[in-house]
Amino acid sequence: MNKRDDDADSVTTDGREYHRLYIRATVDTTDIWIGDDHGHPVCTETGTLDVRLLPGFYTVQFKLSDVTFPIYLDAPFKRSESEIRLGPTCPKPEFRFYDHA
């Protein structure tokens, strides 16, 4: 990606479109965890998460022992922790590592 792509809300690479997922925590020291709907960890950041992911279903937690919130990423998604906490919760998927065998 070049600098212009870093500022784009959606980017197409190798024929696949990636959407920006931007989440700002209420406190700068809060961990933000993103997982897929199968329990696989996708990424984590502290304070602010700003990534591009393939469309699909994801979950977000603001610490590993916290409530889990669903995210359906079909377009750029920009929210604060407080906005996400106003929405619905979902069951936490069972944590799994990818099996590369």
Side-chain angles (χ1 to χ4, degrees):
M1 271 193 257
N2 59 39
K3 179 60 179 156
R4 206 167 113 219
D5 290 340
D6 288 345
D7 295 330
D9 283 337
S10 295
V11 175
T12 300
T13 303
D14 295 331
R16 296 198 267 176
E17 188 170 33
Y18 294 78
H19 298 300
R20 175 177 257 161
L21 175 59
Y22 178 92
I23 299 172
R24 188 184 71 257
T26 304
V27 178
D28 288 342
T29 58
T30 300
D31 291 331
I32 303 168
W33 293 82
I34 301 295
D36 68 15
D37 59 339
H38 297 290
H40 300 116
V42 174
C43 59
T44 184
E45 289 291 340
T46 301
T48 300
L49 181 131
D50 189 3
V51 297
R52 278 152 198 82
L53 300 172
L54 290 168
F57 291 96
Y58 296 92
T59 60
V60 62
Q61 289 180 274
F62 294 98
K63 54 186 172 182
L64 282 179
S65 61
D66 200 11
V67 176
T68 305
F69 301 90
I71 294 175
Y72 178 63
L73 190 65
D74 64 345
F77 183 95
K78 296 179 183 180
R79 303 281 189 285
S80 67
E81 176 182 352
S82 57
E83 290 173 311
I84 292 171
R85 288 188 179 277
L86 291 174
T89 62
C90 64
K92 181 177 180 178
E94 182 180 332
F95 181 82
R96 299 185 303 179
F97 286 104
Y98 284 101
D99 182 8
H100 295 285

